[in-house]
Amino acid sequence: MKNYVLRSFLLTILLTTFSAIFCQGIDVKDFTYSHLSKSDGLDNQRIYSVLQTNDGAIWWSSKHGVERYNGVSIKHYQLGELDIYSDYAGKKVELCNLYNKDMNAPEASSLLAYDNKGRIYSYDIIHDRFNLLADIRKMLKENVDLNNILKTDNGFWAATNKGIFFLQGQNLIPIAKNYHANYIISTDKVLLFCTRQGVLEYRHDPATPPKAGVKLRSVVSYDVESGFYDYIYNKVWLGGYSSGVRILSVSYDGYQETDIGITHNPVRAFFPYDIHTMLVGIDG
């Protein structure tokens, strides 16, 4: 029941965030949903990510922070100190967890939040607040767009508009500069970094801190905005800003690419509804 609630809720969020949802094997009329707005306690109606924890609560992020919905009321969490008002114009907050793309509902204590200004926060379940872990913008001493993170046992992989980095404590290791990195896909064997210049593959242990400038292999050369690894079928879904949707079948010999004919742009998100159906969020 909890998974159905999350799927229905997430579809509602996707429908309000994107202009269209593509799917196979299901009609959106099959969903029932209710609308939550500022009158219900939302601080901001521009929602960027949603995640359900194992206690049944639903969390989402917006440009103003993180909120928690227990089915009755909404609680708002401010991230760090009050922002400069001008930051709100382009601010975007995302949620993930310590296990990153794990589709099972995680514990609340594993929640992470990060904004596109370069700050990463972790949820403190004892004090019921989000604490700042790192500020990549201060480390680089310049403005940076933090687009995605991947938590490992020894640090964070970070995809930014300034390149790909590994954050170990307060040490920021440059991996691949001069790439506009959008998203990180963790498969069973490799990491894939989705960038505007293509997809880069990292074949070493992702939990081991890498050496600066370690070589990454180019997998595809077109721009990729978003992605998803389907561990059941061992396939990687890629969504482009201008290249539509492609699927990579993973094998020991490499990747076999399939263009499934969805050419709408940009492709912002993937969400598996069941083992037969993938929801694809389209912007524009």
Side-chain angles (χ1 to χ4, degrees):
M1 180 63 183
K2 285 198 300 184
N3 287 337
Y4 177 78
V5 171
L6 176 60
R7 286 168 179 165
S8 301
F9 189 88
L10 179 58
L11 182 64
T12 306
I13 295 296
L14 288 172
L15 286 172
T16 60
T17 303
F18 305 113
S19 300
I21 298 291
F22 282 83
C23 57
Q24 295 180 342
I26 190 167
D27 191 326
V28 294
K29 293 184 295 185
D30 296 334
F31 288 87
T32 59
Y33 61 90
S34 59
H35 182 254
L36 296 175
S37 64
K38 286 193 172 183
S39 62
D40 299 293
L42 261 72
D43 183 73
N44 187 274
Q45 293 188 163
R46 179 164 292 185
I47 307 301
Y48 294 112
S49 62
V50 61
L51 191 151
Q52 186 176 26
T53 46
N54 61 4
D55 58 1
I58 297 176
W59 303 68
W60 59 79
S61 66
S62 71
K63 64 166 57 180
H64 288 178
V66 175
E67 292 182 319
R68 180 183 185 273
Y69 179 56
N70 62 7
V72 178
S73 60
I74 297 172
K75 180 172 182 176
H76 179 74
Y77 294 86
Q78 177 183 306
L79 300 182
E81 300 178 355
L82 290 175
D83 288 318
I84 301 172
Y85 184 74
S86 60
D87 278 353
Y88 284 136
K91 187 175 180 181
K92 178 181 177 181
V93 177
E94 296 275 3
L95 274 173
C96 61
N97 62 78
L98 292 176
Y99 314 107
N100 209 56
K101 303 301 184 285
D102 187 357
M103 295 307 296
N104 296 320
E107 296 180 359
S109 60
S110 73
L111 285 180
L112 298 169
Y114 61 98
D115 63 29
N116 61 332
K117 306 298 182 180
R119 292 164 293 209
I120 303 174
Y121 303 85
S122 64
Y123 179 62
D124 181 348
I125 194 170
I126 296 176
H127 298 97
D128 192 24
R129 68 188 182 196
F130 282 85
N131 296 324
L132 180 66
L133 287 179
D135 190 334
I136 294 178
R137 178 174 56 177
K138 287 185 177 180
M139 293 177 181
L140 290 176
K141 297 180 181 179
E142 63 177 328
N143 291 333
V144 63
D145 293 339
L146 177 59
N147 298 318
N148 196 222
I149 63 173
L150 173 69
K151 179 70 173 70
T152 73
D153 292 337
N154 293 298
F156 292 90
W157 289 91
T160 80
N161 67 327
K162 304 292 185 181
I164 300 165
F165 298 88
F166 188 86
L167 176 64
Q168 186 180 26
Q170 296 302 308
N171 181 31
L172 192 63
I173 304 171
I175 304 302
K177 293 185 177 181
N178 302 320
Y179 284 92
H180 188 118
N182 298 309
Y183 200 77
I184 307 170
I185 304 174
S186 177
T187 75
D188 289 338
K189 298 184 180 299
V190 302
L191 293 184
L192 297 175
F193 297 93
C194 305
T195 79
R196 288 187 180 177
Q197 298 95 326
V199 175
L200 302 176
E201 179 192 68
Y202 179 77
R203 278 194 169 271
H204 306 283
D205 180 7
T208 301
K211 295 181 180 180
V214 63
K215 188 172 179 58
L216 304 180
R217 186 172 76 93
S218 176
V219 175
V220 300
S221 59
Y222 49 81
D223 68 278
V224 179
E225 186 82 8
S226 59
F228 177 82
Y229 175 59
D230 183 344
Y231 67 91
I232 296 177
Y233 296 105
N234 199 26
K235 297 180 183 295
V236 175
W237 291 68
L238 301 177
Y241 188 86
S242 58
S243 56
V245 177
R246 315 284 182 95
I247 298 178
L248 300 181
S249 299
V250 183
S251 69
Y252 290 104
D253 298 329
Y255 304 91
Q256 182 178 353
E257 182 179 327
T258 303
D259 185 344
I260 63 174
I262 298 179
T263 58
H264 296 70
N265 308 304
V267 179
R268 299 294 189 183
F270 298 96
F271 184 81
Y273 177 76
D274 56 31
I275 62 173
H276 303 294
T277 308
M278 178 71 76
L279 304 180
V280 183
I282 304 297
D283 183 14

